[in-house]
Amino acid sequence: MELHQLKCFIAVIEEGGFNRATTRLHITQPALSYQIKQLEDELGASLFHRRPRGISPTEAGRVLFQHAQDVIERVRQARRAIERLSKGVVGEIRIGTVNSVGIYFLPPVLQKIKEKYPLARPTVMYRRGGEVMEALLSSQVDVAVLANPRPDRRLNFETIIEEKVSLVCSKGHPFFGRTSVQPHELRGLPFISLTQETPTGMLVKDYLAKLGVSVDVVVSTPNVDTVRKMVEVGLGVAFLPDMVTSADVSCDGKPIDLISRVEVRPSLTRKIVLVTWKKFQCGQVVQAFLDELRWHGGHWKACVESRPRK
Amino acid sequence: MELHQLKCFIAVIEEGGFNRATTRLHITQPALSYQIKQLEDELGASLFHRRPRGISPTEAGRVLFQHAQDVIERVRQARRAIERLSKGVVGEIRIGTVNSVGIYFLPPVLQKIKEKYPLARPTVMYRRGGEVMEALLSSQVDVAVLANPRPDRRLNFETIIEEKVSLVCSKGHPFFGRTSVQPHELRGLPFISLTQETPTGMLVKDYLAKLGVSVDVVVSTPNVDTVRKMVEVGLGVAFLPDMVTSADVSCDGKPIDLISRVEVRPSLTRKIVLVTWKKFQCGQVVQAFLDELRWHGGHWKACVESRPRK
DNA sequence: CGGCGTCATAAGTTTTGTTTATGTGACCTA
DNA sequence: TAGGTCACATAAACAAAACTTATGACGCCG
């Protein structure tokens, strides 16, 4: 059974005869007879009573007619769905990212996209960096936005933001108010750290190791907001991406101007990187998302620095 | 877009690659590539990301996958529906008939069919004889059961029953108790007649005309039950098919042993005829109905005579 | 009875689909 | 970094459809 056969069949019924159907189908009558015969042979039932004054459908014909119309309609719907995709009116955007980026950077980007493409359907997968990479490689997501991702020959890396990871302390801390501290001053201090599974946690650990500074890790958590809170209450100092300490409010809604950034030399930075497959082909909507992502990335630094923290 | 292309497409997705799909489809890989390319070209969108380690569907591919599965499933359902038809488990029986036959003869036949084929779906169209013929000729019904139908070269006529149309009178009528009356005794009598549109009404009219008897028509109605009732209350005599006066109860549930048949010579008969198209091909269920019809027809006379009315 | 309308059949042609053989590009291993 | 492998693309020859033209069968209708 083939779709063009069903179309032939429908035409014969709707036009009420083989000869009349040929004009609609733009084929000759023997061709049509042949196709209908194919159908009948395959189904093992005749579909039409051949009567002197034209045809009339048998019961099998009537039953098939219902189903055939339905099938053709579904095909039409499939066509339309794909057409709407390529026209960019709808589109899924499957994003993989890590917590900090997902919380502090992505939301405004998605908001912009939603304004421009109301029918866009972004889905965000929050995982640890490695898992997001896996998801990208197995095509569970289309794009990944990661911090300091591990290189991979198959993938394309495009740095969106290069931001500082700064030392932060609470208002009551001895460092408070100082413009900078020396690395050796950190030695042995109570320290709040991101777990090493997070790229930034690892980054900070390597950084301290390279400086030859060992600190007293009093809290270790995978969640940046937890780190921030611990610092707020004065449990220790920490390194946090500027992103986290630049937002007006944290993700739980409380203002976060209770902590202060202090400069340490040499400074520590991390890169927010857009990762896609090499030769990544995508629809209009995803493309628009990428553009939006780049634009926001370019304006990020300015945005952060226009809201300096004491 | 063709069904075999959709099947190819589904296989590629489900098997996770072109090469793997070939084993399921029993075609070679270039053939498969070709078919997928056809689809992609027609839809104007690529359906797969071709990646070094196999493929993954694009968004268009994912969308099409949903729809394609649905389409294939509908086709499968169509196949099954037609299969059930030819296996005789289901089947529509479109019957056209006139009132008297429909009321007094058809019900037990349909009951038997329903017992043997619980999923049979008989639909009965009650019309005047000519209209039923029209319906048969335009294939709105499959079979017609008519009284004395007009011949037609295109159709096949098979007499099922040949029954008497007897003179009937009420219990209080002078004819009551007599075994027979002479035609001339009817002259001028109050008479209930079926309208001439009904085959039996026409039959009776011609019969009386041939006998040279003119009666006093006090009621004319297309409904046999109305005639019966009028006779019951003694408004006049009438000719009614034995069928009508042999049932234990009339269609309104009341017993009808309030009237009596009286013999008139020459006797008047009508034929209940099964009408179908010449070379009528039908499914098992309709065939069973026809057999049942013939069987009941053959046993009708015996049935009627085993319940004689005084 | 002959002309007409409608579908079926036959034979030849064109289009489509398939196979075999080979190419391309990226990964993997040494 | 050369060579093998995997997975899909491409090319050309071939096979199988679908289509067209021409003709036939059958019943209607004047």
Side-chain angles (χ1 to χ4, degrees), chain B residues 88-89 93 95 105-122 124 284-300 303:
Chain B
V89 349
I93 313 166
I95 308 157
F105 177 57
L106 230 41
V109 181
L110 294 179
Q111 190 180 348
K112 255 302 187 19
I113 281 294
K114 270 293 185 185
E115 282 168 19
K116 289 186 179 172
Y117 297 86
L119 289 171
R121 211 169 66 85
V124 184
Q284 260 184 265
V285 176
V286 175
Q287 197 57 56
F289 168 75
L290 296 184
D291 292 343
E292 204 61 47
L293 208 63
R294 293 184 186 107
W295 190 90
H296 271 77
H299 289 250
W300 181 258
C303 175

Side-chain angles (χ1 to χ4, degrees), chain B residues 160-217:
Chain B
I160 297 291
I161 302 172
E162 186 156 0
E163 69 164 353
K164 279 223 285 265
V165 180
S166 307
L167 183 72
V168 293
C169 64
S170 69
K171 272 189 164 173
H173 195 274
F175 288 170
F176 185 77
R178 288 177 56 177
T179 55
S180 70
V181 300
Q182 297 299 313
H184 67 84
E185 293 181 79
L186 301 175
R187 204 182 311 271
L189 277 186
F191 198 82
I192 322 293
S193 89
L194 282 165
T195 50
Q196 289 180 27
E197 290 90 49
T198 69
T200 305
M202 181 64 93
L203 187 73
V204 171
K205 175 176 162 282
D206 291 348
Y207 171 72
L208 292 175
K210 196 164 285 174
L211 290 177
V213 172
S214 78
V215 294
D216 176 20
V217 175

Side-chain angles (χ1 to χ4, degrees), chain A residues 131-287:
Chain A
E131 293 171 74
V132 173
M133 285 290 250
E134 284 299 315
L136 183 64
L137 286 169
S138 63
S139 290
Q140 292 170 54
V141 297
D142 301 312
V143 303
V145 185
L146 298 173
N148 290 354
R150 155 139 36 102
D152 186 311
R153 272 179 297 176
R154 293 164 287 185
L155 302 178
N156 200 308
F157 297 84
E158 179 182 350
T159 299
I160 298 291
I161 302 172
E162 186 154 0
E163 68 165 353
K164 281 223 286 261
V165 178
S166 306
L167 184 70
V168 293
C169 62
S170 69
K171 272 189 163 171
H173 195 273
F175 288 170
F176 185 79
R178 290 178 53 178
T179 56
S180 70
V181 300
Q182 296 299 313
H184 67 83
E185 295 182 77
L186 301 176
R187 204 182 310 273
L189 277 187
F191 199 81
I192 321 292
S193 89
L194 282 165
T195 50
Q196 290 182 24
E197 290 89 51
T198 70
T200 305
M202 181 63 96
L203 186 73
V204 172
K205 175 177 163 278
D206 291 348
Y207 170 73
L208 292 175
K210 196 164 283 173
L211 292 177
V213 172
S214 78
V215 292
D216 176 22
V217 175
V218 293
V219 176
S220 176
T221 166
N223 187 307
V224 285
D225 264 320
T226 306
V227 174
R228 185 193 47 70
K229 207 155 199 171
M230 294 297 175
V231 172
E232 259 177 39
V233 300
L235 218 63
V237 298
F239 280 95
L240 277 178
D242 282 2
M243 195 176 273
V244 176
T245 52
S246 299
D248 289 315
V249 292
S250 76
C251 66
D252 60 6
K254 290 192 186 166
I256 57 170
D257 54 4
L258 302 168
I259 60 178
S260 167
R261 292 206 286 259
V262 180
E263 185 155 11
V264 180
R265 294 279 175 182
S267 67
L268 175 61
T269 63
R270 69 170 192 173
K271 289 175 179 172
I272 307 298
V273 181
L274 165 62
V275 190
T276 57
W277 277 86
K278 271 178 177 157
K279 304 176 314 180
F280 175 54
Q281 283 272 61
C282 62
Q284 260 185 265
V285 176
V286 174
Q287 197 58 54

Side-chain angles (χ1 to χ4, degrees), chain B residues 34-222:
Chain B
Y34 175 75
Q35 292 301 337
I36 298 296
K37 194 163 177 355
Q38 293 293 310
L39 260 184
E40 289 181 324
D41 288 351
E42 182 182 344
L43 294 172
S46 57
L47 299 170
F48 297 104
H49 296 291
R50 273 74 166 180
R51 300 258 162 82
R53 285 267 159 244
I55 54 88
S56 75
T58 62
E59 184 174 9
R62 293 194 300 272
V63 167
L64 182 61
F65 183 58
Q66 311 276 1
H67 289 262
Q69 284 183 122
D70 192 37
V71 168
I72 297 296
E73 174 56 25
R74 304 262 156 185
V75 170
R76 222 176 57 83
Q77 283 178 14
R79 277 216 168 74
R80 278 197 37 220
I82 289 172
E83 198 177 345
R84 296 206 315 164
L85 266 186
S86 40
K87 279 188 179 163
V89 349
V90 297
E92 196 180 8
I93 313 166
R94 300 179 308 169
I95 308 157
T97 192
V98 290
N99 267 307
S100 60
V101 178
I103 295 170
Y104 294 103
F105 177 57
L106 230 41
V109 181
L110 294 179
Q111 190 180 348
K112 255 302 187 19
I113 281 294
K114 270 293 185 185
E115 282 168 19
K116 289 186 179 172
Y117 297 86
L119 289 171
R121 211 169 66 85
T123 65
V124 184
M125 179 195 210
Y126 293 96
R127 293 290 151 79
R128 283 190 267 113
E131 293 173 74
V132 173
M133 284 291 250
E134 284 299 317
L136 183 63
L137 285 170
S138 63
S139 291
Q140 293 171 54
V141 298
D142 301 313
V143 303
V145 186
L146 298 173
N148 290 353
R150 158 138 35 98
D152 187 309
R153 272 180 297 176
R154 293 164 287 184
L155 302 178
N156 200 307
F157 296 85
E158 181 182 348
T159 300
I160 297 291
I161 302 172
E162 186 156 0
E163 69 164 353
K164 279 223 285 265
V165 180
S166 307
L167 183 72
V168 293
C169 64
S170 69
K171 272 189 164 173
H173 195 274
F175 288 170
F176 185 77
R178 288 177 56 177
T179 55
S180 70
V181 300
Q182 297 299 313
H184 67 84
E185 293 181 79
L186 301 175
R187 204 182 311 271
L189 277 186
F191 198 82
I192 322 293
S193 89
L194 282 165
T195 50
Q196 289 180 27
E197 290 90 49
T198 69
T200 305
M202 181 64 93
L203 187 73
V204 171
K205 175 176 162 282
D206 291 348
Y207 171 72
L208 292 175
K210 196 164 285 174
L211 290 177
V213 172
S214 78
V215 294
D216 176 20
V217 175
V218 294
V219 176
S220 178
T221 166

Side-chain angles (χ1 to χ4, degrees), chain A residues 45-192:
Chain A
S46 57
L47 298 169
F48 297 105
H49 296 290
R50 273 76 165 179
R51 300 259 161 83
R53 286 261 159 251
I55 54 89
S56 74
T58 62
E59 185 174 7
R62 293 193 299 273
V63 167
L64 182 61
F65 183 58
Q66 311 275 2
H67 290 262
Q69 284 183 122
D70 191 40
V71 168
I72 298 297
E73 174 56 26
R74 304 262 155 184
V75 170
R76 222 176 57 82
Q77 282 178 16
R79 275 216 169 73
R80 279 198 37 223
I82 289 172
E83 199 176 345
R84 296 207 314 165
L85 266 186
S86 40
K87 278 188 179 161
V89 349
V90 297
E92 198 181 6
I93 313 165
R94 301 180 307 169
I95 309 156
T97 191
V98 290
N99 267 308
S100 60
V101 178
I103 294 170
Y104 294 102
F105 178 58
L106 231 40
V109 182
L110 294 179
Q111 190 180 348
K112 257 292 186 28
I113 281 293
K114 269 292 184 186
E115 282 167 20
K116 290 186 180 172
Y117 298 87
L119 289 170
R121 211 168 67 83
T123 64
V124 184
M125 180 193 207
Y126 293 96
R127 293 290 150 80
R128 283 187 267 116
E131 293 171 74
V132 173
M133 285 290 250
E134 284 299 315
L136 183 64
L137 286 169
S138 63
S139 290
Q140 292 170 54
V141 297
D142 301 312
V143 303
V145 185
L146 298 173
N148 290 354
R150 155 139 36 102
D152 186 311
R153 272 179 297 176
R154 293 164 287 185
L155 302 178
N156 200 308
F157 297 84
E158 179 182 350
T159 299
I160 298 291
I161 302 172
E162 186 154 0
E163 68 165 353
K164 281 223 286 261
V165 178
S166 306
L167 184 70
V168 293
C169 62
S170 69
K171 272 189 163 171
H173 195 273
F175 288 170
F176 185 79
R178 290 178 53 178
T179 56
S180 70
V181 300
Q182 296 299 313
H184 67 83
E185 295 182 77
L186 301 176
R187 204 182 310 273
L189 277 187
F191 199 81
I192 321 292

Side-chain angles (χ1 to χ4, degrees), chain B residues 3-20:
Chain B
L3 288 179
H4 72 95
Q5 291 172 334
L6 292 184
K7 280 180 193 154
C8 287
F9 172 72
I10 289 175
V12 172
I13 291 212
E14 288 185 346
E15 302 292 334
F18 284 58
N19 278 316
R20 256 166 295 174

